[in-house]
C-alpha cells in the first residue's frame, strides 16, 4: 500500500513538469512554424513582384531625355542588371540585417517610409476593427439568442449585404453622400487626408480634426468587416445553446440574460479568438482600397503608390510587413488558445 501511495504521489508531482514540457513543445512548434512562414513570405515577396508588368527604370525616366547609356547606368545602380538569383541572395542578406532596401521613388530607406506610415494605418484600421468587433459580437449574440426573430433576419441580411459589397464601391458611395454632398445637401465630412491643411493650434482641436477626417473611412471599414464577427459569433452561440450546462444554469433559477452573458457567450467566444487576432494582424496591413479612396496616408496608400512604378524594394518591404503581421498575430492566437481552451492544453 505504501508503495502504491508513493507511486501515486510521484506521478502527481511529475504532472506539472509534464504539463510544462507539453506547453514548451507547443510554443516551440508554433514559433518554428511562424519562422518558416515568414521565410516563405520573403521568398514569395521577392519573386511575386518580379512578374508584375512594367519596367521601373522606364517608368522613372518617362518623359525625360535620357540616353540608353544613362538607362543602363541607372539599371546598374539599382541592381537590376544582375541575374535574378544574385538579386535574390542580396535581398535575403539585406533582410537578415534588417535592411529592406531603398525606395526607387522616394530615394529613402524603405524601413523609414514604412515606419512613418504605420501610425496612420494603425489609428484608422485599429479604430475600425475595435468598433467592428464590439458591434459584430454584440449583434451576433443577440441574433443567435433570438434565432428566427425579425432582429435576427434583419441584422443578418444587412450584414451579409454590406459584406458582399466591394469596398471601393462602398467607399465611393459614402464619399459622395457624406463628403461631397447630394444636391442641395452639403458634405458633412472631409473627403480625404488625415488632417486639414491649416490644423487648429490647440492639441484638442487637432485631435478633433483628425477624428473628423476619420469618420468616413472608419464607417466604410466597419460596414464591410463587422459582418464576419456577427456571423461567427451567431453560429458559435447557436451551437452552444443546446448544451446541457445551459439547461443546468436555467434550472438553478438564473435569468436568461445571465445565462447568456455568464455561460453561453464566454464559451461561444473561443472560435472568434483566431478571427480577432488575424484582423489585429491586418491592422498593420490596413486596407489598400479604403486608404486609396480617402487618400489616407498609411501603408495601404503607400503600397498603391509603389505598385504604379513598380517600386520593387518598397513593394517587397510593405508585403513582408503586412504578411508578417498576420503570421505573428496568428501565432499569438494559437498561444492564447492554449490559455483559454483546456482541450488544447491537454492535447
Amino acid at each position: 500500500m505504501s508503495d502504491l501511495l508513493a507511486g501515486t504521489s510521484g506521478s502527481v508531482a511529475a504532472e506539472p513538469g509534464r504539463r510544462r514540457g507539453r506547453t514548451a513543445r507547443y510554443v516551440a512548434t508554433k514559433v518554428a512554424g511562424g519562422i518558416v512562414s515568414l521565410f516563405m513570405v520573403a521568398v514569395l515577396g521577392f519573386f511575386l513582384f518580379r512578374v508584375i508588368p512594367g519596367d521601373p527604370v522606364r517608368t522613372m525616366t518617362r518623359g525625360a531625355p535620357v540616353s540608353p547609356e544613362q538607362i543602363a547606368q541607372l539599371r546598374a545602380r539599382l541592381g537590376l542588371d544582375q541575374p535574378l538569383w544574385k538579386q535574390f541572395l542580396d535581398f535575403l542578406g539585406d533582410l537578415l540585417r534588417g535592411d529592406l532596401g531603398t525606395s526607387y521613388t522616394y530615394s529613402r530607406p524603405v524601413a523609414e517610409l514604412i515606419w512613418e506610415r504605420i501610425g496612420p494605418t494603425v489609428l484608422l484600421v485599429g479604430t475600425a476593427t475595435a468598433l467592428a468587433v464590439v458591434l459584430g459580437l454584440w449583434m451576433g449574440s443577440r441574433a443567435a439568442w433570438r434565432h428566427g426573430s425579425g432582429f435576427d433576419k434583419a441584422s443578418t441580411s444587412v450584414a451579409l449585404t454590406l459584406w458582399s459589397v466591394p469596398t471601393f464601391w462602398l467607399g465611393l458611395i459614402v464619399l459622395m453622400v457624406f463628403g461631397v454632398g447630394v444636391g442641395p445637401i452639403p458634405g458633412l465630412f472631409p473627403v480625404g487626408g488625415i488632417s486639414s491643411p491649416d490644423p487648429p493650434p490647440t492639441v484638442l482641436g487637432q485631435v478633433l480634426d483628425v477624428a473628423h477626417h476619420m469618420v468616413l473611412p472608419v464607417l466604410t471599414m466597419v460596414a464591410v468587416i463587422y459582418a464576419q464577427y456577427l456571423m461567427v459569433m451567431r453560429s458559435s452561440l447557436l451551437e452552444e445553446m443546446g448544451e446541457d450546462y445551459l439547461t443546468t444554469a436555467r434550472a438553478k433559477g438564473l435569468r436568461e440574460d445571465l445565462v447568456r452573458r455568464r455561460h453561453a457567450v464566454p464559451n461561444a467566444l473561443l472560435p472568434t479568438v483566431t478571427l480577432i487576432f488575424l484582423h489585429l494582424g491586418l491592422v498593420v496591413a490596413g486596407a489598400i482600397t479604403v486608404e486609396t479612396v480617402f487618400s489616407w496616408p498609411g501603408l495601404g496608400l503607400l503600397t498603391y503608390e509603389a505598385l504604379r512604378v513598380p517600386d520593387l524594394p518598397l513593394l517587397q518591404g510593405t508585403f513582408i510587413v503586412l504578411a508578417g503581421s498576420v503570421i505573428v498575430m496568428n501565432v499569438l492566437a494559437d498561444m492564447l488558445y492554449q490559455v483559454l481552451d483546456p482541450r488544447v492544453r491537454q492535447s
Side-chain angles (χ1 to χ4, degrees):
M1 179 64 71
S2 60
D3 294 339
L4 179 60
L5 292 175
T8 303
S9 60
S11 62
V12 171
E15 181 60 27
R18 287 196 294 267
R19 189 180 301 116
R20 286 193 294 269
R22 288 196 300 267
T23 301
R25 287 193 298 271
Y26 180 83
V27 171
T29 301
K30 295 301 179 181
V31 171
I35 293 174
V36 172
S37 298
L38 287 173
F39 174 77
M40 296 304 297
V41 162
V43 174
L44 179 62
F46 177 84
F47 289 103
L48 176 65
F49 299 114
R50 274 5 185 230
V51 301
I52 294 178
D55 185 351
V57 175
R58 293 291 181 183
T59 304
M60 295 167 62
T61 58
R62 183 179 300 162
V66 293
S67 64
E69 291 77 13
Q70 291 174 317
I71 291 179
Q73 291 175 1
L74 180 58
R75 193 178 298 276
R77 184 168 65 86
L78 298 177
L80 297 175
D81 61 333
Q82 299 291 333
L84 192 60
W85 64 267
K86 179 68 166 53
Q87 296 182 42
F88 178 64
L89 292 180
D90 292 341
F91 165 72
L92 282 183
D94 293 340
L95 186 61
L96 291 175
R97 293 192 297 270
D99 183 5
L100 296 176
T102 302
S103 168
Y104 297 163
T105 307
Y106 297 93
S107 299
R108 294 173 57 193
V110 171
E112 183 179 307
L113 291 169
I114 292 175
W115 182 254
E116 289 179 356
R117 300 293 188 102
I118 278 183
T121 293
V122 171
L123 176 63
L124 172 65
V125 192
T127 303
T129 302
L131 292 176
V133 168
V134 173
L135 179 64
L137 295 185
W138 179 80
M139 294 188 68
S141 62
R142 291 279 178 173
W145 209 251
R146 303 176 184 178
H147 179 57
S149 65
F151 177 83
D152 179 27
K153 296 176 181 178
S155 61
T156 304
S157 300
V158 171
L160 290 178
T161 300
L162 292 174
W163 194 8
S164 62
V165 170
T167 306
F168 76 91
W169 183 86
L170 182 61
L172 290 175
I173 296 297
V174 169
L175 187 64
M176 288 188 295
V177 174
F178 299 104
V180 178
V182 178
I185 303 176
L188 301 176
F189 301 97
V191 297
I194 191 174
S195 61
S196 301
D198 187 17
T202 63
V203 175
L204 178 60
Q206 294 174 7
V207 171
L208 294 177
D209 181 51
V210 173
H212 194 212
H213 283 75
M214 287 177 59
V215 171
L216 296 187
V218 166
L219 175 63
T220 303
M221 296 193 68
V222 169
V224 171
I225 64 178
Y226 89 95
Q228 303 175 56
Y229 300 105
L230 185 152
M231 298 306 297
V232 171
M233 186 64 187
R234 178 179 179 275
S235 176
S236 179
L237 189 56
L238 284 175
E239 293 179 359
E240 296 291 330
M241 287 175 62
E243 296 295 329
D244 293 338
Y245 70 90
L246 295 183
T247 304
T248 304
R250 292 188 182 97
K252 292 179 179 179
L254 292 179
R255 300 193 310 272
E256 281 296 304
D257 285 344
L258 292 178
V259 172
R260 184 183 72 250
R261 291 201 309 267
R262 293 184 181 179
H263 298 279
V265 170
N267 285 281
L269 279 174
L270 287 176
T272 65
V273 170
T274 301
L275 181 63
I276 292 173
F277 268 78
L278 286 177
H279 274 284
L280 287 177
L282 294 174
V283 165
V284 181
I288 294 178
T289 51
V290 171
E291 291 190 2
T292 302
V293 168
F294 293 97
S295 301
W296 188 265
L299 285 180
L301 183 59
L302 183 66
T303 303
Y304 172 76
E305 294 169 349
L307 281 168
R308 298 170 61 184
V309 178
D311 191 333
L312 298 180
L314 189 53
L315 284 173
Q316 291 165 180
T318 54
F319 180 77
I320 290 173
V321 171
L322 306 184
S325 63
V326 176
I327 293 172
V328 170
M329 287 300 172
N330 194 26
V331 172
L332 291 178
D334 290 334
M335 305 296 183
L336 188 59
Y337 247 87
Q338 178 86 357
V339 176
L340 296 179
D341 196 340
R343 294 169 295 183
V344 177
R345 295 196 298 270
Q346 294 170 3
S347 61

